[in-house]
Amino acid sequence: MAKNEECCSTQLIDGDGTFNATGMEYFIKEIGLGECGLSYAVVSIMGPQSSGKSTLLNHLFGTNFREMDAFKGRSQTTKGIWMARCAGIEPCTLVMDLEGTDGRERGEDDTAFEKQSALFALAVSDIVLINMWCHDIGREQAANKPLLKTVFQVMMRLFSPRKTTLLFVIRDKTRTPLENLEPVLREDIQKIWDAVPKPEAHKETPLSEFFHVEVVALSSYEEKEEQFKEQVANLRQRFFHSIAPGGLAGDRRGVVPASGFSFSAQQIWKVIKENKDLDLPAHKVMVATVRCEEIAKEKYANFSANEGWHQIEESVQSSAVSGFGKKLTSTLNACLSEYDEEAIYFDEGVRSAKRKQLEEKLLQLVQPAYQSMLGHLRSGALDKFKEAFDKALNAGEGFSSAARTCSQSYMALFDEGCADAVIEQANWDSSKVRDKLQRDIDAHVASVRAVKLSELTSAFEEKLHTGLSGPVEALLEGANTETWPAIRKLLRRETESAVAGLSSALAGFDMDGQTKDKMLRSLENYARGVVEAKAKEEAGRVLIRMKDKFSMLFSHDSDSMPRVWTGKEDIRAITKTARSASLKLLSVMAAIRLDDEVDQIESTLSSALMDTKSNAAVTDRSITTYDSLASSTWDEIPSSRTLITPVQCKSLWRQFKTETEYSVTQAISAQEASRRNNNWLPPPWAIVALIVLGFNEFMTLLRNPLYLGFIFVAFLLMKALWVQLDISGEFQHGALPGLISLSTKFLPTIMNLIKRLAEEGQVPATNNPQRNPALATKTYRNENGTSSDMSTASSGLTHTENGMAYSSSSKDD
């Protein structure tokens, strides 16, 4: 093991009071203390003999001090003062194990060494552990009170003030809570300090200037070894970095450098040995102290074993005990009377002090039971209050009235229980428990109140959401000039209804006007928030709404019937109307207009996006116009009420026009196709030219009717070829592709037509078309997939050749 990690130890002062200077020098060299500078701490322990001081140090600091063998009886284990280095604690920490006080080996009179060693420990230590039994708290000698009194006085006279930490270690802690033990101990220490004569310079100096007092409690090492070790391990952590600011060592004023520690300690011991003012109390007082303490201890044990007390203690753990105060008062009076009878002949001052200590210990013993009794009274009153309060609310009583009535009733019930639990010897105040009960009642009322108010608010918010969400969505879906006025009207109507309902429901809560107004404003803000949220939601779908609006107006007439593009419709006007309506929808969705304020969003969008002037004029003006949309805010609308910014409007309109352009193009194409199909006559000027220029030819035909027959036959042949070749269809893709396609189909079509005519000529003529249904319905499909009724064409030719009248109709694809 490395030298710095070894647990070295040495006897600093032997049992005769001789300072071991040689051993101290060797010890300091072994642990390397001279190299530590000011980074070291000194810890010492004092307390009665055989109180487990060495055992505590060995577990706490990893030292190897000699411990008492319990099987050999209680005897002096540590003689003089021993010092060791704590193992594994930084910074370097030295611990001193002092000889126990009140040992039988030194006797009753030779106690100067005990005082001197205690004073030495206080003088050189940063932290002094005062080891004491839990059941000795309040005793004079076992708790080292006279010794501390002398040490306080002599230390101020001999040494410059240095703030030392006094850590009182309460051993074998009983069931009495540390919170009850610590105030008693601190009060005793303060009384000792107040009683000590002080020099003029320190007449008004408080104890905290010289000492920092702390208290810890440890379980029994023999009975609860594991718990004891765990608590010691937690205490050990406090000694790490003890000299740091705020550490356990406290003030480091006047600390001696490590290299001079040995000499300093030797000189301090020399001064202490020469002091003559460290005398013990008189023998008489000591005998009185010991005997009265024995009597008090006996009476305390008798009370602890009292059957009546045990029954009360056990019963009060589970429920309240009737007559609790009277029973304990009687038992305590009997115990104190027995003490007075046996201690009547001892010193009056000691007797009274020990009686007071006994009374305090007895009261400390019964105080947990008293607190349990108050706890049962409090919890019982609280449970009954809750039950009665719920019944009152369910019966329809006003909230504030029910809370006030039930609270007064069950606080009075608690006061009655407290009066029954009062112990005459104790001046205990139950006001804290009463205040806690009142706080618990108030907290429960506040909790129920919060739940009820939350339920009310949620109900009216749900009503508002139902009444606003759907109608607002419907209004925004069909946005127009009256959309926002209608929304404002709807919002005002629904909000007024909800606010009136909530205001009426809050009447039973006796709320102050400010809180009530705040809740009503919150409900109004919620209603407004529902509308704004729905508006934002619809604004996200504005492009879809615009396209739906455009499609409805463009593709349907005023009677909502689908349009048929016959060629008479004004597509430009229809498109403008549909786009204007879509732009109107965009302007409505661009901002939230819940206030009666006028804005110019619609006119701005219309002038920027729907300008119908000539292209040249638009080009001259477009820069200025579109600059008004090159912004992230509207001039009249704050950003908090903006749904679609000008830049976003511009982008949406561009996308809208792109996505609706196809519908307009399709309509124009359909209209042109319809016009081509319906316009089979030549222009009027051509008809006039034909009449003027063809007059002679017309007269020739009238003189020779045979020409008419040939012309008619030629017309039928050309018509049949037109249908079979689908000439209009072929030229839809261009002139050159149409000519190429017709050149490949012309000859086969002529041959098929002649063949068909030949087949028709072989069939006998009949006036009944049903005699040969297969022939009558047989169709011919050319190479491009076009179907035609060949029987019609052949029949027409046959009838023409026989000189009969002929009529034909064809369907133009």
Side-chain angles (χ1 to χ4, degrees), residues 487-509:
I487 291 176
R488 288 195 294 268
K489 182 178 179 181
L490 172 67
L491 174 62
R492 185 164 51 253
R493 184 180 69 249
E494 294 293 333
T495 302
E496 289 175 354
S497 174
V499 167
L502 180 59
S503 178
S504 176
L506 295 177
F509 287 86

Side-chain angles (χ1 to χ4, degrees), residues 270-524:
K270 180 180 178 181
V271 174
I272 292 175
K273 288 285 288 182
E274 295 173 355
N275 181 43
K276 304 300 182 182
D277 297 331
L278 300 176
D279 295 332
L280 288 174
H283 179 73
K284 180 182 178 180
V285 175
M286 180 174 289
V287 172
T289 300
V290 172
R291 183 58 186 149
C292 289
E293 185 175 331
E294 289 178 351
I295 296 173
K297 184 177 181 180
E298 179 185 355
K299 300 311 171 186
Y300 180 84
N302 291 341
F303 180 87
S304 299
N306 184 277
E307 184 65 26
W309 156 243
H310 279 299
Q311 291 180 355
I312 294 174
E313 186 181 27
E314 292 176 0
S315 299
V316 82
Q317 298 300 320
S318 56
S319 61
V321 177
S322 178
F324 177 87
K326 292 181 179 180
K327 293 177 181 178
L328 280 183
T329 298
S330 175
T331 307
L332 287 171
N333 280 334
C335 180
L336 293 173
S337 297
E338 292 175 2
Y339 170 85
D340 292 336
E341 291 176 1
E342 296 186 24
I344 189 172
Y345 298 107
F346 290 102
D347 181 81
E348 182 179 358
V350 175
R351 182 180 72 245
S352 300
K354 293 302 178 183
R355 187 186 191 281
K356 183 177 181 181
Q357 293 174 9
L358 173 62
E359 185 177 351
E360 290 176 353
K361 289 183 64 176
L362 291 174
L363 292 178
Q364 289 177 6
L365 180 64
V366 303
Q367 189 176 31
Y370 177 75
Q371 294 296 331
S372 298
M373 180 68 182
L374 294 184
H376 291 307
L377 293 175
R378 182 190 62 81
S379 60
L382 180 61
D383 293 340
K384 292 177 181 178
F385 166 80
K386 291 179 180 179
E387 182 179 355
F389 186 48
D390 290 341
K391 288 183 178 178
L393 292 179
N394 294 333
E397 186 176 351
F399 185 90
S400 297
S401 174
R404 184 168 51 253
T405 302
C406 294
S407 176
Q408 293 174 352
S409 174
Y410 289 97
M411 287 302 298
L413 180 65
F414 173 79
D415 292 338
E416 293 176 4
C418 288
D420 182 66
V422 168
I423 299 174
E424 293 181 1
Q425 293 83 1
N427 188 23
W428 291 331
D429 187 7
S430 62
S431 60
K432 292 184 178 180
V433 181
R434 189 181 193 281
D435 292 342
K436 187 177 188 317
L437 173 60
Q438 187 64 63
R439 289 195 301 270
D440 291 341
I441 289 177
D442 293 342
H444 179 72
V445 171
S447 176
V448 176
R449 177 192 184 96
V451 171
K452 295 294 184 183
L453 291 178
S454 178
E455 290 175 353
L456 282 175
T457 304
S458 298
F460 282 100
E461 286 179 352
E462 182 65 25
K463 179 181 178 181
L464 278 174
H465 189 276
T466 303
L468 290 174
S469 182
V472 168
E473 181 177 355
L475 289 171
L476 291 175
E477 185 175 353
N480 54 47
T481 306
E482 298 301 321
T483 295
W484 284 110
I487 291 176
R488 288 195 294 268
K489 182 178 179 181
L490 172 67
L491 174 62
R492 185 164 51 253
R493 184 180 69 249
E494 294 293 333
T495 302
E496 289 175 354
S497 174
V499 167
L502 180 59
S503 178
S504 176
L506 295 177
F509 287 86
D510 289 346
M511 301 176 66
D512 59 277
Q514 184 177 1
T515 304
K516 183 176 180 180
D517 292 343
K518 183 178 179 181
M519 291 187 65
L520 297 179
R521 284 196 303 270
S522 177
L523 186 63
E524 293 174 354

Side-chain angles (χ1 to χ4, degrees), residues 560-586:
S560 299
M561 297 297 294
R563 293 185 189 275
V564 179
W565 304 105
T566 61
K568 299 178 181 179
E569 296 81 9
D570 187 353
I571 294 180
R572 181 180 299 275
I574 295 173
T575 303
K576 183 177 180 180
T577 301
R579 285 180 176 173
S580 297
S582 299
L583 185 65
K584 177 67 177 179
L585 189 147
L586 178 62

